[in-house]
Amino acid sequence: MTTLSVAMGSALFPSILLQFFRDLYRFTQCSNEQCGFMFRTRKSTLIKKLLSLQESSAKNTYDPTSQGLAKVFLKDIGEIEVLQLLLTVLKEGALGTTCIVVNSQDKHLTACKLWRWPLYRTMPTLKRVPICNDRCNETECLNPYHYFLTMSHSPSKTIRLDSSPVSLPITRDLSDSGICIDMCSDTFNTEDGESTGTWCNVAYWEHNQRIGALHCVNDPIVAIANNISHSGLDLSKIANDDVSRDEVTARVRKHIGSGILVSLEEDGIWLYNRSEISIFVQSPTMSTGDKSRPQVHKVLPGYALNSYHFAHHSTVSRTARTIRLSFEKGWGPGYRRQYITDAPCWLELLLSIR
């Protein structure tokens, strides 16, 4: 049985895509005139599907004039690109969706407006996530889920933490993590740009109990999500039979979904919120004024935040180089939860950067 026949028989593919693969198979057995008509018909079907998805994603904010814009946009790109875009929208940008490469300028803004942020009449400046492949450097990627709004455009809520210290130490003995201390040692240097080892260790917490071992990060970018099929930290596979999860914790874990991307970049450590819930972030380089009272920043879905600015790195002591983030639930003044340990699901990013 061929790979194509397996794919065609899989229940994972929508019927419209099954038909596409059948047509693709028939393509090798038809004349040029027959194939041209067949693929024009197939592209029209794919376009109709994308138009219906665009209308449903906009919900109550749907603007009928966007249908005309979408039709022009889709007719101007190739058959394969339309199919790739349809797969991406159906998967809602699940990690691993491919780059959609075209030789044009600013078409990604239209794709993002139509299938990601229909509320914007004019798209603001977007930040492209580093998972785009090298081909995109000289062309353009149309995948709307490879772009994020930055916090400068976000109606985020910024608050101050209570001056009372968190009940957890910033540093801890790593001997209970099951990971070799030498493996998680400080080997990354920001000054010469050379990375020779782990630059970050990720700890996952539920309330005041750490779940699972530390996750050492060596690659420049890591995905942290609930139930992912690609490399990264899959929270759904972190098991602890001794943990009795309350209803809120179980619900938040489920809502994490596609989670976040943590990316080591030239100017700092960026967080990309890929989930459908907000995340709340605390970092020593994002605080203003009294450094003993760090701030918590709310990052909405689809937004990116430079959570650790290298420009302020030298002012942070080694024991304080930690980023904390909570999924869905904020903490501190203005919230029912006063401390990070009151949050149902949260992460510590322990940085190993000199």
Side-chain angles (χ1 to χ4, degrees), residues 72-91:
V72 173
F73 171 82
L74 293 170
K75 289 180 179 179
D76 197 37
I77 63 177
E79 176 89 18
I80 298 300
E81 287 74 24
V82 172
L83 174 63
Q84 289 176 322
L85 182 58
L86 176 57
L87 284 169
T88 298
V89 175
L90 286 171
K91 292 181 179 180

Side-chain angles (χ1 to χ4, degrees), residues 188-327:
F188 187 86
N189 192 316
T190 61
E191 295 180 358
D192 57 17
E194 294 184 0
S195 173
T196 58
T198 299
W199 63 270
C200 175
N201 299 289
V202 182
Y204 170 63
W205 294 78
E206 292 179 1
H207 296 288
N208 62 354
Q209 184 170 1
R210 200 180 83 188
I211 309 298
L214 288 177
H215 180 81
C216 293
V217 180
N218 298 293
D219 296 327
I221 187 167
V222 60
I224 304 174
N226 194 47
N227 193 14
I228 57 176
S229 57
H230 298 270
S231 60
L233 177 57
D234 187 349
L235 299 181
S236 68
K237 295 180 180 178
I238 298 179
N240 192 328
D241 296 334
D242 297 331
V243 175
S244 178
R245 293 185 175 90
D246 56 52
E247 182 179 347
V248 174
T249 302
R251 184 173 64 251
V252 171
R253 253 181 90 118
K254 183 178 180 181
H255 289 171
I256 290 172
S258 298
I260 63 171
L261 293 176
V262 182
S263 178
L264 179 66
E265 302 181 24
E266 291 184 0
D267 57 344
I269 298 170
W270 282 80
L271 300 179
Y272 297 83
N273 187 1
R274 303 179 64 254
S275 71
E276 296 183 358
I277 58 176
S278 297
I279 60 174
F280 297 81
V281 183
Q282 175 204 28
S283 166
T285 67
M286 294 194 301
S287 299
T288 58
D290 186 0
K291 294 295 182 66
S292 66
R293 303 181 63 183
Q295 296 173 318
V296 170
H297 295 257
K298 181 179 180 179
V299 184
L300 299 175
Y303 280 80
L305 170 72
N306 187 347
S307 63
Y308 191 91
H309 296 263
F310 287 156
H312 306 301
H313 174 69
S314 60
T315 65
V316 183
S317 66
R318 294 187 65 180
T319 57
R321 293 171 186 173
T322 300
I323 302 169
R324 292 188 175 95
L325 69 93
S326 170
F327 292 102

Side-chain angles (χ1 to χ4, degrees), residues 22-55:
R22 292 190 183 101
D23 290 345
L24 189 63
Y25 177 74
R26 287 158 48 197
F27 177 75
T28 59
Q29 302 178 2
C30 65
S31 66
N32 291 338
E33 183 177 354
Q34 290 172 326
C35 289
F37 174 77
M38 179 179 68
F39 272 88
R40 283 196 300 271
T41 304
R42 183 53 46 208
K43 182 177 179 180
S44 297
T45 304
L46 295 174
I47 288 176
K48 288 180 181 178
K49 179 62 175 176
L50 273 167
L51 291 176
S52 67
L53 290 172
Q54 188 269 329
E55 182 176 352

Side-chain angles (χ1 to χ4, degrees), residues 96-207:
T97 51
T98 184
C99 292
I100 306 172
V101 181
V102 295
N103 291 312
S104 65
Q105 295 294 326
D106 297 331
K107 280 188 176 294
H108 70 283
L109 296 176
T110 303
C112 290
K113 174 177 172 55
L114 290 170
W115 288 283
R116 193 91 189 271
W117 295 289
L119 283 175
Y120 282 95
R121 292 184 177 274
T122 302
M123 288 304 302
T125 302
L126 300 174
K127 180 174 174 58
R128 190 170 68 184
V129 72
I131 58 176
C132 272
N133 62 37
D134 294 337
R135 291 175 59 198
C136 296
N137 293 333
E138 298 179 358
T139 55
E140 185 179 27
C141 178
L142 291 186
N143 189 329
Y145 290 92
H146 282 188
Y147 296 89
F148 287 76
L149 299 167
T150 59
M151 284 296 294
S152 59
H153 303 289
S154 171
S156 60
K157 179 180 180 182
T158 301
I159 59 175
R160 287 188 177 277
L161 278 177
D162 192 334
S163 58
S164 302
V166 174
S167 59
L168 295 173
I170 293 179
T171 59
R172 58 178 53 82
D173 184 4
L174 302 184
S175 60
D176 64 344
S177 67
I179 299 177
C180 176
I181 297 296
D182 293 337
M183 178 181 175
C184 298
S185 61
D186 295 344
T187 55
F188 187 86
N189 192 316
T190 61
E191 295 180 358
D192 57 17
E194 294 184 0
S195 173
T196 58
T198 299
W199 63 270
C200 175
N201 299 289
V202 182
Y204 170 63
W205 294 78
E206 292 179 1
H207 296 288

